[in-house]
């Protein structure tokens, strides 16, 4: 999709088809108004109707909220995909209100995303989109800059979605490492990939054991983006479980389907480095991804095993399906040992079904010790449109991780509050000096959904990326 700003009145842009967002039919001509009213077009938002005489595609949108604007343009592209139309124009002013260029572009790009690597007939349309603005040279430049930034971020989101949607037979830790390596084509990006020997030498037994029964070797990926003058240093740790069978605590039936999504945290971290290096922003960002496949086999790690993690703590395995926290435990330790003076340390992970139970599946569950930091994330959530909710820690739940034979267990003795106990487990791998700089993002729900929702298509969503860039705006 190619989106360009045109500094002309909409009627002077020489393109046949126009996409129009309708808040009501009142300002339309008599015939059109009658036509749309007859089919109750405005009864709900996001109906589409193509008037072939006027060459206008109408999308109903009862409330012109940012998120609705994105969905409206998403729907427009979804409609046009199934037509012969491959170029269209949009007036930045709709219903007498100037829309945000970011919202228009996000809606369009998300609408155009398609994952058809496994379809025998692949049809991806290359749309030409023209957006009419009437601006001074200075304002045009500003809008163009904003559009370029949005396109870079959306492109990285597509990169992340492709990773998450790829199937486990095709996408295993080495492939994830290869994709990370590709990001080093961008300026100031480096990537180190460590194999199982490294994990052994560095006593990263928690992560090592999760991947032990897989025929694919585990990889610890360390991406870094280090521009010249930096405002702050941020570490992002991502769960990159390329497939989660549950291990010997095997998942059942439908519980296993879609577990290719278990690499979504790692994939979003990679997407963020992909975007930030293209945007050339003044932040040092490290992306640590634990790429591992959780399988079964004669050499698999077992419930009852006790693993010694790289920070010296011992973990009694009570469930091999709680593998993400084991991977993250060693990755978090690696980050704190190898990177100095960290300002923020975040982890992104499809960690628990319980976070879906708590928030319903469209919301990222955020946990941590700093109320101030959570406030910043809340702000970023409102700006980006990515939904977040916060879950509180308490000592009683932490007690549920007590073990009779090791320092603690990997799952709670009580299944309630599972998202919180998973996060409390992770907190044991955060050094005191970083406790208030750390946040955990459980993206199990919104990172991958087996349905279309809002402006997201079936499957991966790239959640976490837009949220992160909005967070950066707050720490400049
Ligand atoms: N990868 C899963 C969590 C998950 C569930 C992600 C649904 C996406 C959708 C994780 O490794 C897992 O299996 N967690 C267990 C933890 C339990 C054993 C304490 C869970 O949520 O059931
Ligand atoms: Zn699991
Ligand atoms: Zn998992």
């Amino acid at each position: 999709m190619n989106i360009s700003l045109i500094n002309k009145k909409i009627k002077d842009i020489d393109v046949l088809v126009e996409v129009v967002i309708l808040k009501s039919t009142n300002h339309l001509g008599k015939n059109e108004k009658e036509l749309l009213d007859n089919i109750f077009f405005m009864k709900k938002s996001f109906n589409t109707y193509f008037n072939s005489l006027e060459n206008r595609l109408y999308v109903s949108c009862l409330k012109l909220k940012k998120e609705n604007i994105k969905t409206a343009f998403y729907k427009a592209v979804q409609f046009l995909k199934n037509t012969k139309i491959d170029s269209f124009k949009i007036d930045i002013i709709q219903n007498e209100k100037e829309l945000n260029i970011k919202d228009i572009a996000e809606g369009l790009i998300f609408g155009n995303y398609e994952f058809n690597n496994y379809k025998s007939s692949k049809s991806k349309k290359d749309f030409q989109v023209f957006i009419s603005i009437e601006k001074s040279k200075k304002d045009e430049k500003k809008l163009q800059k904003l559009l370029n930034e949005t396109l870079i971020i959306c492109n990285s989101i597509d990169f992340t979605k492709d990773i998450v949607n790829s199937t486990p037979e095709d996408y295993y830790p080495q492939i994830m490492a290869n994709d990370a390596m590709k990001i080093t084509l961008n300026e100031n990006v480096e990537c180190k990939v460590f194999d199982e020997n490294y994990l052994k030498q560095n006593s990263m037994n928690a992560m090592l054991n999760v991947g032990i029964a897989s025929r694919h070797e585990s990889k610890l990926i360390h991406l870094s983006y280090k521009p010249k003058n930096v405002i702050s240093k941020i570490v992002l740790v991502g769960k990159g479980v390329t497939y989660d069978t549950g291990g010997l605590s095997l998942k059942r039936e439908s519980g296993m389907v879609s577990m290719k999504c278990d690499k979504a945290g790692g994939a979003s971290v990679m997407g963020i480095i992909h975007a930030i290096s293209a945007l050339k922003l003044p932040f040092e960002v490290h992306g640590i991804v634990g790429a591992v496949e959780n399988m079964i086999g004669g050499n698999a790690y077992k419930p009852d095993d006790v693993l010694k993690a790289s920070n010296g703590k011992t973990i009694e395995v009570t469930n091999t399906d709680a593998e993400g926290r084991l991977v993250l435990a060693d990755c978090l330790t690696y980050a704190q040992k190898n990177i100095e003076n960290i300002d923020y340390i975040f982890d992104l992970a499809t960690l628990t079904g319980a976070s879906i139970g708590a928030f319903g599946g469209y919301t990222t569950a955020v946990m941590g010790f700093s109320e101030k930091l959570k406030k910043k994330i809340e702000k970023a959530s409102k700006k980006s449109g990515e939904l977040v909710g916060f879950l509180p820690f308490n000592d009683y739940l932490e007690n549920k991780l007590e073990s009779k034979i090791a320092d603690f267990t990997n799952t709670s003795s009580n299944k309630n509050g599972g998202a919180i106990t998973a996060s409390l487990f992770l907190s044991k791998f955060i050094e005191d000096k970083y406790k208030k700089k750390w946040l955990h993002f459980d993206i199990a729900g919104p990172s991958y959904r087996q349905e279309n929702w809002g402006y997201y298509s079936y499957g991966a969503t790239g959640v976490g990326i837009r949220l992160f860039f909005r967070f950066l705006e707050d720490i400049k």
Side-chain angles (χ1 to χ4, degrees), residues 6-18:
I6 309 284
N7 211 337
K8 277 185 184 172
K9 286 194 168 59
I10 186 86
K11 67 174 175 46
D12 296 331
I13 300 179
D14 193 17
V15 173
L16 207 56
V17 174
E18 182 183 349

Side-chain angles (χ1 to χ4, degrees), residues 244 246 251 294 321-323:
D244 183 11
K251 286 186 183 293
N294 187 19
D321 198 10
E323 84 299 339

Side-chain angles (χ1 to χ4, degrees), residues 24-40:
S24 87
T25 54
N26 291 343
H27 63 282
L28 296 178
K30 187 171 171 289
N31 288 348
E32 260 189 329
K33 179 173 164 41
E34 231 171 69
L35 189 96
L36 291 174
D37 289 348
N38 280 341
I39 59 169
F40 301 123

Side-chain angles (χ1 to χ4, degrees), residues 239 241 243-247 249 251 259 262 294 301 319-325 350-351:
K239 171 176 175 182
V241 173
Y243 202 65
D244 183 11
T245 62
S249 314
K251 286 186 183 293
M259 276 305 134
D262 222 15
N294 187 19
Y301 83 123
N319 191 321
T320 62
D321 198 10
E323 84 299 339
R325 61 196 76 180
T350 45
L351 210 61

Side-chain angles (χ1 to χ4, degrees), residues 121-138:
S121 73
K122 300 178 176 40
S123 61
K124 177 139 184 168
K125 275 175 91 168
D126 203 13
F127 284 108
Q128 300 292 324
V129 186
F130 303 91
I131 302 178
S132 156
I133 56 170
E134 287 173 74
K135 295 281 177 193
S136 66
K137 270 277 160 275
K138 196 169 142 229

Side-chain angles (χ1 to χ4, degrees), residues 6-69:
I6 309 284
N7 211 337
K8 277 185 184 172
K9 286 194 168 59
I10 186 86
K11 67 174 175 46
D12 296 331
I13 300 179
D14 193 17
V15 173
L16 207 56
V17 174
E18 182 183 349
V19 172
V20 178
I21 308 293
L22 287 185
K23 195 168 175 283
S24 87
T25 54
N26 291 343
H27 63 282
L28 296 178
K30 187 171 171 289
N31 288 348
E32 260 189 329
K33 179 173 164 41
E34 231 171 69
L35 189 96
L36 291 174
D37 289 348
N38 280 341
I39 59 169
F40 301 123
F41 189 69
M42 297 309 301
K43 196 148 186 197
K44 64 177 178 64
S45 290
F46 317 125
N47 285 322
T48 46
Y49 181 85
F50 186 63
N51 182 333
S52 52
L53 295 173
E54 306 277 342
N55 275 307
R56 282 216 191 103
L57 173 64
Y58 290 112
V59 186
S60 62
C61 189
L62 302 179
K63 280 196 189 129
L64 299 176
K65 292 190 298 191
K66 284 168 77 66
E67 292 302 280
N68 292 354
I69 295 297

